[in-house]
Amino acid sequence: MKHEDLRRALAASRVLVVGDVMLDRYWFGDVERISPEAPVPVAKISRIEERAGGAANVARNIAAIGGQATLLSVVGDDEAGSALQRLLNEHGVATSLHRDASITTTVKLRVVARQQQLIRLDFEYSPSHEVLAAKLDDFRAVLAQHDVVILSDYGKGGLTHVATMIEAARAAGKPVLVDPKGDDYSRYAGATLLTPNRSELREVTGRWGSEAELVEKAQQLRTQLRLDALLVTRSEEGMSLFEPAGVTHEQTLAQEVFDVSGAGDTVIATLAAMLAAGESLPRAMQWSNLAAGIVVGKLGTAVATAEELFER
């Protein structure tokens, strides 16, 4: 597809993103001394940044390349939840954020000095059953309005009903792409495609000693879970797409790896947006590989813009 046609198709595409969201906070400063109270560095903070993380970062990646993203998730009824809502509005993401007064919004706070993380502090709680049930009802209600569904699992409890969501989406004829978490993938059975990274796949299938053994394990998993395909991101080794007809491999396109945070979000976001725009799965993987090569050259949870993607 020509770039002009693809841009128009992306603008008309609609992707529904469901999953765990978080607010990524970055405190930037400098370290010039060690604390007299304990043997730890003292960071003098000079700048604070906030970014949408988790499934929210997936949604903003879709918007950044010109697609339409709708985000369905749960946040706390707090300042961090409001900050996340504001950020998503600024990024052009349509939102349906359920407020749960019994939890606080997941926040990951990173203190960075001289381009190095000193510490990361996580604040997280699982949403209530009542809020999750309401979110499931909303999912069913908006499903027909979208072309592709992404389920972004960060293990924070937001995808408790993931099996039901997969079943409903497939029954409605919608491709379902899942970014999985944990060592039990049976809950993702019947999805269109899973996008584990190399270490996540190893946690499920066990180690492999050769490329042939990797192919065998990946294809067994794909068959066992009744997936149309399995896309494994392999860091410096690129990414591999496992389908019934065989394997397609893409070499990494990263020029310089600065920070891999959020690269998996970029991969699944670009993949879904390109599929929704009418690209084939192998071609969508090529675009995803290109986008991933762009974001790993940036600090923190970042996005590849449409301009960067099409210029490459």
Side-chain angles (χ1 to χ4, degrees):
M1 193 182 302
K2 292 181 179 180
H3 286 183
E4 297 79 11
D5 295 335
L6 184 55
R7 281 177 182 267
R8 283 192 290 270
L10 279 170
S13 66
R14 300 195 62 179
V15 180
L16 176 60
V17 182
V18 188
D20 301 307
V21 297
M22 56 200 70
L23 181 65
D24 285 327
R25 283 193 161 132
Y26 293 85
W27 289 5
F28 295 97
D30 204 359
V31 172
E32 296 179 348
R33 62 192 179 97
I34 300 299
S35 171
E37 305 166 355
V40 295
V42 176
K44 184 179 180 181
I45 304 301
S46 58
R47 180 167 55 95
I48 296 175
E49 283 188 19
E50 294 180 335
R51 302 178 188 176
N57 186 46
V58 175
R60 79 179 185 121
N61 266 273
I62 294 167
I65 63 171
Q68 296 185 55
T70 302
L71 177 65
L72 177 57
S73 191
V74 179
V75 295
D77 191 11
D78 52 15
E79 175 272 334
S82 298
L84 197 51
Q85 178 71 72
R86 174 179 48 79
L87 283 171
L88 290 164
N89 290 343
E90 292 173 359
H91 294 312
V93 174
T95 57
S96 177
L97 297 181
H98 289 253
R99 296 288 188 126
D100 188 343
S102 68
I103 66 169
T104 61
T105 302
T106 296
V107 175
K108 292 186 177 181
L109 171 60
R110 299 167 175 88
V111 180
V112 182
R114 298 179 183 178
Q115 308 301 317
Q116 297 287 331
Q117 276 195 42
L118 297 182
I119 191 171
R120 192 182 93 181
L121 307 174
D122 290 3
F123 308 86
E124 57 190 49
Y125 300 87
S126 296
S128 66
H129 174 75
E130 292 77 14
V131 171
L132 289 174
K135 190 181 79 168
L136 182 58
D137 290 339
D138 278 7
F139 175 80
R140 290 194 175 103
V142 301
L143 194 54
Q145 304 164 21
H146 295 84
D147 305 307
V148 177
V149 175
I150 294 177
L151 302 178
S152 180
D153 196 349
Y154 271 79
K156 311 302 181 188
L159 283 179
T160 299
H161 301 300
V162 64
T164 304
M165 289 180 173
I166 291 172
E167 183 180 358
R170 294 309 297 264
K174 309 296 181 181
V176 186
L177 280 54
V178 183
D179 191 355
K181 189 66 64 179
D183 58 3
D184 180 13
Y185 282 9
S186 61
R187 59 203 300 258
Y188 308 125
T192 304
L193 178 143
L194 263 60
T195 62
N197 62 35
R198 185 171 51 189
S199 60
E200 288 169 340
L201 181 68
R202 189 180 296 122
E203 190 177 351
V204 174
T205 65
R207 293 185 171 274
W208 52 84
S210 64
E211 189 70 17
E213 190 177 0
L214 165 61
V215 172
E216 181 183 2
K217 286 179 176 289
Q219 292 286 33
Q220 283 179 348
L221 180 65
R222 183 192 57 74
T223 302
Q224 176 188 341
L225 297 177
R226 308 187 311 280
L227 308 173
D228 291 5
L230 181 70
L231 177 65
V232 182
T233 55
R234 304 172 62 181
S235 191
E236 73 281 356
E237 296 176 353
M239 54 181 65
S240 299
L241 179 67
F242 299 90
E243 298 179 279
V247 184
T248 307
H249 185 72
E250 286 287 324
Q251 297 292 334
T252 183
L253 295 175
Q255 303 299 309
E256 179 180 358
V257 177
F258 187 74
D259 190 340
V260 298
S261 300
D265 296 339
T266 300
V267 168
I268 197 168
T270 308
L271 195 71
M274 291 300 176
L275 288 174
E279 290 280 52
S280 67
L281 186 51
R283 183 64 177 151
M285 178 181 68
Q286 291 176 343
W287 284 112
S288 297
N289 193 38
L290 185 59
I294 293 169
V295 298
V296 296
K298 302 179 180 182
L299 175 64
T301 46
V303 298
T305 66
E307 288 69 26
E308 291 171 324
L309 198 59
F310 288 111
E311 281 176 9
R312 285 280 184 97

